Amino acid sequence: MLAGGGAKGAFEAGVVAAVEEAGLRPTVLSGTSAGALNAAGIASGMDAARLAELWTGTAARDVHRLRRDVWRLLRLRGLFGGGGRLAGRLLDGIGWTWALETTPLRRTLERALGGVAVDVVDGLTLAVSAVEVASGELVRFVNRLPPERRRSPRFREVAPTVDHLMASAAIPILFRPAPVAGRDFWDGGLVANTPLAPALAYEPDAAIVVTTTTRQRPSPPPQSLGQAVSLLIDNVLAYSLAADLARAEAVNVACLAGAEVGVKRAVDLLVIEPTGLDLGHSLDFDPALAAARVAQGVAAGRRALAGWERLR
């Protein structure tokens, strides 16, 4: 399971290298946002070295650019029309509902994948999470449905493409919503940044959960709007991870105690997170910083795997 985190997804590429080094070959790859991009890369056959190359060779210009339709930025009718308080009029006077165009990211992904399709290797399962803008519904795009007893309407069997990855990575307000089959989607990290639930639906014996933020808090107060946005993303990630792990651990406790919990069963969970590390700004796509994040992921992955009783 690979969480979101913007540019900090390079940390996950390092963890993937440690997992590969340990001789482990996951068969279910579940990702959200940046984690969805990493999961798709692995599912399509990329090794850890190639995944790291993508992160260290990607700059901000390869991910996003500022919108060019500046004439739509100000909405004079909302700014000067009607009554209401000043704050409300100021917000209504902004015509943009998102700030950054992600066409560069689409091009980057298509180059990396060799086209629009994500050609999942036989025997692997890819799950990509996104949120439908209009309904707020959490959707799991998968190339293979889980066992019938574990399915829900949230699972949608698809031939995965770059469209699904763009949908999962469309951070609200920052990035443009991404269309899939005529419907707009936002970043799945809004409600399920650590995509544990879809992976557990495939009834694994063990699972590795990789996140790009630590559950250690508090964080220092932000000093700029960019830092505030990054901190907001981190807080969403940390809350999502804590909630998902609490549910999974409660099921594990019940299963190990012999309680009846339907079709659920205990799963050996390993969480790998950047504890004690400063991975920097979520929107800082600097190649040199990406290389440092990859190295941090390798080190964190090795430490966690060395202590995992399952491998002893």
Side-chain angles (χ1 to χ4, degrees), residues 33 36-37 106 116 118 126 128-130 141-142 156-170 178-181 185:
S33 197
L37 311 187
R106 175 177 288 277
V116 175
V118 180
L126 174 64
V128 172
S129 296
F141 296 112
V142 297
R156 298 186 189 177
E157 189 172 18
V158 299
T161 69
V162 169
D163 285 349
H164 301 101
L165 305 184
M166 295 294 293
S168 185
V180 175
F185 286 85

Side-chain angles (χ1 to χ4, degrees), residues 58-144:
T58 298
R61 64 178 178 274
D62 303 311
V63 179
H64 56 71
R65 62 171 173 78
L66 192 64
R67 290 178 61 166
R68 294 170 178 166
D69 56 341
V70 292
W71 61 89
R72 290 198 177 107
L73 177 57
L74 291 180
R75 183 171 170 268
L76 298 181
R77 179 180 297 180
L79 185 60
F80 297 111
R85 297 185 181 276
L86 177 61
R89 292 203 308 273
L90 287 175
L91 290 175
D92 284 342
I94 299 174
W96 284 2
T97 57
W98 47 273
L100 301 173
E101 175 63 63
T102 51
T103 302
L105 176 59
R106 175 177 288 277
R107 289 196 295 263
T108 298
L109 291 175
E110 290 181 2
R111 282 197 303 268
L113 295 167
V116 175
V118 180
D119 296 321
V120 180
V121 174
D122 288 344
L124 297 185
T125 298
L126 174 64
V128 172
S129 296
V131 173
E132 188 177 45
V133 174
S135 66
E137 179 185 2
L138 177 63
V139 177
R140 319 289 197 178
F141 296 112
V142 297
N143 66 305
R144 178 178 67 89

